[in-house]
mmCIF file of all heavy atoms in Angstrom:
data_model
loop_
_atom_site.group_PDB
_atom_site.id
_atom_site.type_symbol
_atom_site.label_atom_id
_atom_site.label_comp_id
_atom_site.label_asym_id
_atom_site.label_seq_id
_atom_site.Cartn_x
_atom_site.Cartn_y
_atom_site.Cartn_z
ATOM 1 N N MET A 1 -68.054 94.678 105.645
ATOM 2 C CA MET A 1 -68.558 96.048 105.801
ATOM 3 C C MET A 1 -69.706 96.315 104.833
ATOM 4 O O MET A 1 -70.725 96.905 105.212
ATOM 5 C CB MET A 1 -67.432 97.051 105.574
ATOM 6 C CG MET A 1 -67.866 98.483 105.730
ATOM 7 S SD MET A 1 -68.232 98.909 107.420
ATOM 8 C CE MET A 1 -66.616 99.298 107.984
ATOM 9 N N GLU A 2 -69.563 95.872 103.589
ATOM 10 C CA GLU A 2 -70.629 96.056 102.611
ATOM 11 C C GLU A 2 -71.885 95.291 103.002
ATOM 12 O O GLU A 2 -72.997 95.801 102.859
ATOM 13 C CB GLU A 2 -70.155 95.630 101.225
ATOM 14 C CG GLU A 2 -69.130 96.568 100.618
ATOM 15 C CD GLU A 2 -68.489 96.011 99.351
ATOM 16 O OE1 GLU A 2 -68.859 94.889 98.931
ATOM 17 O OE2 GLU A 2 -67.614 96.694 98.806
ATOM 18 N N ALA A 3 -71.720 94.084 103.516
ATOM 19 C CA ALA A 3 -72.876 93.305 103.959
ATOM 20 C C ALA A 3 -73.563 93.985 105.135
ATOM 21 O O ALA A 3 -74.806 94.030 105.193
ATOM 22 C CB ALA A 3 -72.453 91.887 104.330
ATOM 23 N N THR A 4 -72.783 94.519 106.057
ATOM 24 C CA THR A 4 -73.361 95.235 107.197
ATOM 25 C C THR A 4 -74.099 96.483 106.740
ATOM 26 O O THR A 4 -75.226 96.747 107.186
ATOM 27 C CB THR A 4 -72.259 95.612 108.208
ATOM 28 O OG1 THR A 4 -71.587 94.433 108.623
ATOM 29 C CG2 THR A 4 -72.829 96.342 109.405
ATOM 30 N N ASP A 5 -73.484 97.247 105.844
ATOM 31 C CA ASP A 5 -74.142 98.453 105.325
ATOM 32 C C ASP A 5 -75.432 98.114 104.591
ATOM 33 O O ASP A 5 -76.444 98.805 104.745
ATOM 34 C CB ASP A 5 -73.200 99.216 104.391
ATOM 35 C CG ASP A 5 -72.041 99.859 105.132
ATOM 36 O OD1 ASP A 5 -72.109 99.960 106.374
ATOM 37 O OD2 ASP A 5 -71.060 100.244 104.464
ATOM 38 N N ARG A 6 -75.411 97.060 103.787
ATOM 39 C CA ARG A 6 -76.605 96.636 103.052
ATOM 40 C C ARG A 6 -77.713 96.224 104.026
ATOM 41 O O ARG A 6 -78.873 96.598 103.857
ATOM 42 C CB ARG A 6 -76.265 95.491 102.105
ATOM 43 C CG ARG A 6 -77.397 95.076 101.200
ATOM 44 C CD ARG A 6 -76.986 94.038 100.172
ATOM 45 N NE ARG A 6 -76.081 93.239 100.636
ATOM 46 C CZ ARG A 6 -74.850 92.724 100.494
ATOM 47 N NH1 ARG A 6 -74.403 92.755 99.932
ATOM 48 N NH2 ARG A 6 -73.999 92.051 100.965
ATOM 49 N N TYR A 7 -77.338 95.486 105.070
ATOM 50 C CA TYR A 7 -78.319 95.075 106.076
ATOM 51 C C TYR A 7 -78.924 96.285 106.785
ATOM 52 O O TYR A 7 -80.134 96.361 106.987
ATOM 53 C CB TYR A 7 -77.667 94.145 107.100
ATOM 54 C CG TYR A 7 -78.568 93.819 108.255
ATOM 55 C CD1 TYR A 7 -79.611 92.918 108.111
ATOM 56 C CD2 TYR A 7 -78.391 94.433 109.491
ATOM 57 C CE1 TYR A 7 -80.452 92.621 109.171
ATOM 58 C CE2 TYR A 7 -79.226 94.153 110.552
ATOM 59 C CZ TYR A 7 -80.257 93.246 110.387
ATOM 60 O OH TYR A 7 -81.084 92.977 111.435
ATOM 61 N N ILE A 8 -78.083 97.249 107.130
ATOM 62 C CA ILE A 8 -78.575 98.453 107.809
ATOM 63 C C ILE A 8 -79.514 99.225 106.901
ATOM 64 O O ILE A 8 -80.585 99.679 107.335
ATOM 65 C CB ILE A 8 -77.397 99.333 108.285
ATOM 66 C CG1 ILE A 8 -76.659 98.641 109.425
ATOM 67 C CG2 ILE A 8 -77.871 100.711 108.720
ATOM 68 C CD1 ILE A 8 -75.363 99.299 109.821
ATOM 69 N N ARG A 9 -79.149 99.374 105.616
ATOM 70 C CA ARG A 9 -80.021 100.096 104.680
ATOM 71 C C ARG A 9 -81.358 99.385 104.516
ATOM 72 O O ARG A 9 -82.404 100.025 104.478
ATOM 73 C CB ARG A 9 -79.337 100.256 103.327
ATOM 74 C CG ARG A 9 -78.324 101.384 103.277
ATOM 75 C CD ARG A 9 -77.909 101.702 101.854
ATOM 76 N NE ARG A 9 -77.243 100.596 101.193
ATOM 77 C CZ ARG A 9 -75.953 100.310 101.292
ATOM 78 N NH1 ARG A 9 -75.182 101.058 102.048
ATOM 79 N NH2 ARG A 9 -75.429 99.292 100.656
ATOM 80 N N GLU A 10 -81.331 98.050 104.410
ATOM 81 C CA GLU A 10 -82.574 97.299 104.247
ATOM 82 C C GLU A 10 -83.435 97.378 105.497
ATOM 83 O O GLU A 10 -84.656 97.470 105.408
ATOM 84 C CB GLU A 10 -82.269 95.832 103.934
ATOM 85 C CG GLU A 10 -81.689 95.609 102.567
ATOM 86 C CD GLU A 10 -81.205 94.184 102.355
ATOM 87 O OE1 GLU A 10 -81.321 93.368 103.295
ATOM 88 O OE2 GLU A 10 -80.709 93.891 101.257
ATOM 89 N N THR A 11 -82.809 97.322 106.652
ATOM 90 C CA THR A 11 -83.557 97.336 107.903
ATOM 91 C C THR A 11 -84.104 98.723 108.226
ATOM 92 O O THR A 11 -85.256 98.862 108.636
ATOM 93 C CB THR A 11 -82.663 96.870 109.068
ATOM 94 O OG1 THR A 11 -82.149 95.581 108.749
ATOM 95 C CG2 THR A 11 -83.434 96.780 110.353
ATOM 96 N N ALA A 12 -83.296 99.743 108.030
ATOM 97 C CA ALA A 12 -83.700 101.096 108.403
ATOM 98 C C ALA A 12 -84.547 101.767 107.335
ATOM 99 O O ALA A 12 -85.219 102.745 107.616
ATOM 100 C CB ALA A 12 -82.466 101.941 108.680
ATOM 101 N N GLY A 13 -84.526 101.271 106.137
ATOM 102 C CA GLY A 13 -85.258 101.933 105.055
ATOM 103 C C GLY A 13 -84.320 102.834 104.280
ATOM 104 O O GLY A 13 -83.109 102.783 104.417
ATOM 105 N N THR A 14 -84.898 103.689 103.471
ATOM 106 C CA THR A 14 -84.080 104.530 102.599
ATOM 107 C C THR A 14 -83.418 105.680 103.334
ATOM 108 O O THR A 14 -82.411 106.184 102.909
ATOM 109 C CB THR A 14 -84.938 105.108 101.461
ATOM 110 O OG1 THR A 14 -86.026 105.838 102.049
ATOM 111 C CG2 THR A 14 -85.464 104.007 100.573
ATOM 112 N N GLY A 15 -83.989 106.117 104.421
ATOM 113 C CA GLY A 15 -83.390 107.217 105.159
ATOM 114 C C GLY A 15 -84.458 107.928 105.959
ATOM 115 O O GLY A 15 -85.622 107.533 105.964
ATOM 116 N N PRO A 16 -84.100 109.008 106.618
ATOM 117 C CA PRO A 16 -85.080 109.714 107.415
ATOM 118 C C PRO A 16 -86.138 110.381 106.534
ATOM 119 O O PRO A 16 -85.825 110.971 105.510
ATOM 120 C CB PRO A 16 -84.251 110.750 108.174
ATOM 121 C CG PRO A 16 -83.008 110.911 107.386
ATOM 122 C CD PRO A 16 -82.783 109.603 106.689
ATOM 123 N N ALA A 17 -87.376 110.228 106.951
ATOM 124 C CA ALA A 17 -88.472 110.820 106.188
ATOM 125 C C ALA A 17 -88.525 112.316 106.464
ATOM 126 O O ALA A 17 -88.187 112.782 107.544
ATOM 127 C CB ALA A 17 -89.788 110.162 106.573
ATOM 128 N N SER A 18 -88.971 113.063 105.478
ATOM 129 C CA SER A 18 -89.093 114.500 105.664
ATOM 130 C C SER A 18 -90.301 114.795 106.548
ATOM 131 O O SER A 18 -91.142 113.927 106.802
ATOM 132 C CB SER A 18 -89.240 115.185 104.307
ATOM 133 O OG SER A 18 -90.486 114.810 103.731
ATOM 134 N N GLU A 19 -90.380 116.017 106.998
ATOM 135 C CA GLU A 19 -91.510 116.408 107.843
ATOM 136 C C GLU A 19 -92.828 116.236 107.106
ATOM 137 O O GLU A 19 -93.821 115.797 107.692
ATOM 138 C CB GLU A 19 -91.342 117.857 108.300
ATOM 139 C CG GLU A 19 -90.232 118.058 109.300
ATOM 140 C CD GLU A 19 -90.069 119.516 109.692
ATOM 141 O OE1 GLU A 19 -90.824 120.373 109.186
ATOM 142 O OE2 GLU A 19 -89.186 119.786 110.512
ATOM 143 N N ALA A 20 -92.814 116.573 105.825
ATOM 144 C CA ALA A 20 -94.052 116.457 105.045
ATOM 145 C C ALA A 20 -94.492 114.996 104.946
ATOM 146 O O ALA A 20 -95.695 114.691 105.072
ATOM 147 C CB ALA A 20 -93.851 117.046 103.652
ATOM 148 N N ASP A 21 -93.524 114.075 104.746
ATOM 149 C CA ASP A 21 -93.865 112.656 104.673
ATOM 150 C C ASP A 21 -94.412 112.156 106.004
ATOM 151 O O ASP A 21 -95.386 111.404 106.040
ATOM 152 C CB ASP A 21 -92.631 111.825 104.292
ATOM 153 C CG ASP A 21 -92.170 112.078 102.874
ATOM 154 O OD1 ASP A 21 -92.996 112.535 102.051
ATOM 155 O OD2 ASP A 21 -90.975 111.816 102.602
ATOM 156 N N GLN A 22 -93.795 112.588 107.091
ATOM 157 C CA GLN A 22 -94.258 112.162 108.408
ATOM 158 C C GLN A 22 -95.663 112.697 108.697
ATOM 159 O O GLN A 22 -96.510 111.977 109.233
ATOM 160 C CB GLN A 22 -93.281 112.632 109.485
ATOM 161 C CG GLN A 22 -91.952 111.911 109.455
ATOM 162 C CD GLN A 22 -90.976 112.456 110.480
ATOM 163 O OE1 GLN A 22 -91.221 113.485 111.122
ATOM 164 N NE2 GLN A 22 -89.850 111.769 110.632
ATOM 165 N N LEU A 23 -95.913 113.953 108.317
ATOM 166 C CA LEU A 23 -97.243 114.520 108.531
ATOM 167 C C LEU A 23 -98.281 113.817 107.670
ATOM 168 O O LEU A 23 -99.421 113.600 108.116
ATOM 169 C CB LEU A 23 -97.235 116.029 108.254
ATOM 170 C CG LEU A 23 -96.477 116.879 109.270
ATOM 171 C CD1 LEU A 23 -96.410 118.326 108.829
ATOM 172 C CD2 LEU A 23 -97.103 116.763 110.639
ATOM 173 N N ALA A 24 -97.912 113.453 106.438
ATOM 174 C CA ALA A 24 -98.842 112.736 105.570
ATOM 175 C C ALA A 24 -99.190 111.377 106.155
ATOM 176 O O ALA A 24 -100.365 110.966 106.140
ATOM 177 C CB ALA A 24 -98.237 112.581 104.179
ATOM 178 N N LYS A 25 -98.204 110.690 106.687
ATOM 179 C CA LYS A 25 -98.470 109.392 107.316
ATOM 180 C C LYS A 25 -99.356 109.556 108.549
ATOM 181 O O LYS A 25 -100.254 108.745 108.786
ATOM 182 C CB LYS A 25 -97.155 108.701 107.682
ATOM 183 C CG LYS A 25 -96.396 108.181 106.499
ATOM 184 C CD LYS A 25 -95.101 107.523 106.915
ATOM 185 C CE LYS A 25 -94.310 107.071 105.694
ATOM 186 N NZ LYS A 25 -93.030 106.468 106.068
ATOM 187 N N LEU A 26 -99.087 110.589 109.332
ATOM 188 C CA LEU A 26 -99.919 110.849 110.502
ATOM 189 C C LEU A 26 -101.368 111.121 110.092
ATOM 190 O O LEU A 26 -102.312 110.654 110.735
ATOM 191 C CB LEU A 26 -99.379 112.040 111.293
ATOM 192 C CG LEU A 26 -98.252 111.756 112.270
ATOM 193 C CD1 LEU A 26 -97.716 113.045 112.872
ATOM 194 C CD2 LEU A 26 -98.696 110.812 113.360
ATOM 195 N N SER A 27 -101.557 111.872 109.023
ATOM 196 C CA SER A 27 -102.912 112.168 108.542
ATOM 197 C C SER A 27 -103.620 110.897 108.101
ATOM 198 O O SER A 27 -104.824 110.723 108.367
ATOM 199 C CB SER A 27 -102.865 113.159 107.382
ATOM 200 O OG SER A 27 -102.373 114.395 107.830
ATOM 201 N N GLU A 28 -102.890 110.005 107.432
ATOM 202 C CA GLU A 28 -103.489 108.735 107.013
ATOM 203 C C GLU A 28 -103.911 107.903 108.214
ATOM 204 O O GLU A 28 -104.990 107.305 108.228
ATOM 205 C CB GLU A 28 -102.497 107.934 106.159
ATOM 206 C CG GLU A 28 -102.225 108.503 104.794
ATOM 207 C CD GLU A 28 -101.126 107.747 104.056
ATOM 208 O OE1 GLU A 28 -100.778 106.614 104.479
ATOM 209 O OE2 GLU A 28 -100.602 108.287 103.074
ATOM 210 N N VAL A 29 -103.042 107.861 109.234
ATOM 211 C CA VAL A 29 -103.360 107.081 110.433
ATOM 212 C C VAL A 29 -104.593 107.677 111.131
ATOM 213 O O VAL A 29 -105.480 106.958 111.584
ATOM 214 C CB VAL A 29 -102.135 107.040 111.383
ATOM 215 C CG1 VAL A 29 -102.500 106.445 112.722
ATOM 216 C CG2 VAL A 29 -100.989 106.269 110.744
ATOM 217 N N ARG A 30 -104.668 108.999 111.184
ATOM 218 C CA ARG A 30 -105.835 109.663 111.801
ATOM 219 C C ARG A 30 -107.093 109.404 110.982
ATOM 220 O O ARG A 30 -108.166 109.144 111.541
ATOM 221 C CB ARG A 30 -105.586 111.155 111.929
ATOM 222 C CG ARG A 30 -106.760 111.890 112.593
ATOM 223 C CD ARG A 30 -106.542 113.349 112.631
ATOM 224 N NE ARG A 30 -106.465 113.841 111.255
ATOM 225 C CZ ARG A 30 -106.469 115.108 110.898
ATOM 226 N NH1 ARG A 30 -106.521 116.035 111.832
ATOM 227 N NH2 ARG A 30 -106.393 115.476 109.655
ATOM 228 N N ALA A 31 -106.949 109.442 109.640
ATOM 229 C CA ALA A 31 -108.108 109.213 108.780
ATOM 230 C C ALA A 31 -108.646 107.794 108.942
ATOM 231 O O ALA A 31 -109.862 107.566 108.848
ATOM 232 C CB ALA A 31 -107.743 109.485 107.324
ATOM 233 N N ARG A 32 -107.777 106.835 109.185
ATOM 234 C CA ARG A 32 -108.228 105.452 109.402
ATOM 235 C C ARG A 32 -108.867 105.284 110.768
ATOM 236 O O ARG A 32 -109.529 104.286 111.024
ATOM 237 C CB ARG A 32 -107.046 104.482 109.285
ATOM 238 C CG ARG A 32 -106.569 104.249 107.883
ATOM 239 C CD ARG A 32 -105.608 103.063 107.818
ATOM 240 N NE ARG A 32 -104.565 103.138 108.823
ATOM 241 C CZ ARG A 32 -103.266 103.283 108.572
ATOM 242 N NH1 ARG A 32 -102.854 103.361 107.328
ATOM 243 N NH2 ARG A 32 -102.394 103.342 109.545
ATOM 244 N N GLY A 33 -108.630 106.229 111.651
ATOM 245 C CA GLY A 33 -109.202 106.152 112.989
ATOM 246 C C GLY A 33 -108.318 105.416 113.975
ATOM 247 O O GLY A 33 -108.775 105.055 115.060
ATOM 248 N N ASP A 34 -107.068 105.214 113.618
ATOM 249 C CA ASP A 34 -106.162 104.488 114.515
ATOM 250 C C ASP A 34 -105.701 105.355 115.687
ATOM 251 O O ASP A 34 -105.324 104.832 116.732
ATOM 252 C CB ASP A 34 -104.942 103.981 113.746
ATOM 253 C CG ASP A 34 -105.314 102.890 112.748
ATOM 254 O OD1 ASP A 34 -106.383 102.279 112.923
ATOM 255 O OD2 ASP A 34 -104.519 102.647 111.810
ATOM 256 N N ILE A 35 -105.686 106.688 115.494
ATOM 257 C CA ILE A 35 -105.318 107.590 116.588
ATOM 258 C C ILE A 35 -106.394 108.664 116.708
ATOM 259 O O ILE A 35 -107.101 108.987 115.753
ATOM 260 C CB ILE A 35 -103.925 108.239 116.364
ATOM 261 C CG1 ILE A 35 -103.884 109.049 115.076
ATOM 262 C CG2 ILE A 35 -102.832 107.199 116.408
ATOM 263 C CD1 ILE A 35 -102.604 109.850 114.899
ATOM 264 N N SER A 36 -106.466 109.217 117.897
ATOM 265 C CA SER A 36 -107.459 110.273 118.139
ATOM 266 C C SER A 36 -106.907 111.614 117.665
ATOM 267 O O SER A 36 -105.733 111.741 117.314
ATOM 268 C CB SER A 36 -107.800 110.335 119.628
ATOM 269 O OG SER A 36 -106.665 110.781 120.352
ATOM 270 N N GLU A 37 -107.784 112.629 117.704
ATOM 271 C CA GLU A 37 -107.379 113.978 117.301
ATOM 272 C C GLU A 37 -106.298 114.518 118.239
ATOM 273 O O GLU A 37 -105.347 115.161 117.788
ATOM 274 C CB GLU A 37 -108.604 114.899 117.306
ATOM 275 C CG GLU A 37 -108.347 116.270 116.728
ATOM 276 C CD GLU A 37 -108.021 116.235 115.241
ATOM 277 O OE1 GLU A 37 -108.557 115.380 114.515
ATOM 278 O OE2 GLU A 37 -107.195 117.060 114.819
ATOM 279 N N GLU A 38 -106.411 114.220 119.525
ATOM 280 C CA GLU A 38 -105.425 114.681 120.500
ATOM 281 C C GLU A 38 -104.068 114.018 120.255
ATOM 282 O O GLU A 38 -103.021 114.673 120.291
ATOM 283 C CB GLU A 38 -105.914 114.382 121.920
ATOM 284 C CG GLU A 38 -104.966 114.812 123.019
ATOM 285 C CD GLU A 38 -104.706 116.317 123.037
ATOM 286 O OE1 GLU A 38 -105.591 117.102 122.659
ATOM 287 O OE2 GLU A 38 -103.583 116.690 123.417
ATOM 288 N N GLU A 39 -104.060 112.699 119.998
ATOM 289 C CA GLU A 39 -102.804 111.998 119.691
ATOM 290 C C GLU A 39 -102.183 112.532 118.407
ATOM 291 O O GLU A 39 -100.961 112.665 118.306
ATOM 292 C CB GLU A 39 -103.064 110.491 119.569
ATOM 293 C CG GLU A 39 -103.446 109.827 120.874
ATOM 294 C CD GLU A 39 -103.911 108.391 120.680
ATOM 295 O OE1 GLU A 39 -104.511 108.080 119.635
ATOM 296 O OE2 GLU A 39 -103.646 107.580 121.597
ATOM 297 N N PHE A 40 -103.032 112.874 117.429
ATOM 298 C CA PHE A 40 -102.530 113.441 116.173
ATOM 299 C C PHE A 40 -101.835 114.765 116.435
ATOM 300 O O PHE A 40 -100.758 115.027 115.905
ATOM 301 C CB PHE A 40 -103.688 113.621 115.185
ATOM 302 C CG PHE A 40 -103.289 114.353 113.931
ATOM 303 C CD1 PHE A 40 -102.538 113.730 112.957
ATOM 304 C CD2 PHE A 40 -103.642 115.688 113.752
ATOM 305 C CE1 PHE A 40 -102.160 114.403 111.807
ATOM 306 C CE2 PHE A 40 -103.266 116.367 112.610
ATOM 307 C CZ PHE A 40 -102.528 115.721 111.634
#
């Protein structure tokens, strides 16, 4: 069980990102030009 939990934590990351973190990542992706203004 501990090995499974450790694997899940490593694979999924630390946990769900907050809205602010998600918006910051979206802004970075838009700034790099990877997505358009409409996709943003």
Side-chain angles (χ1 to χ4, degrees):
M1 181 70 85
E2 290 170 1
T4 303
D5 290 345
R6 186 174 33 237
Y7 173 76
I8 291 171
R9 280 193 297 276
E10 290 171 0
T11 304
T14 57
S18 67
E19 290 178 0
D21 292 337
Q22 290 177 351
L23 290 174
K25 288 179 183 178
L26 277 174
S27 295
E28 290 174 15
V29 170
R30 181 184 63 170
R32 286 192 311 245
D34 292 340
I35 60 173
S36 67
E37 188 66 34
E38 180 61 31
E39 292 171 328
F40 173 74

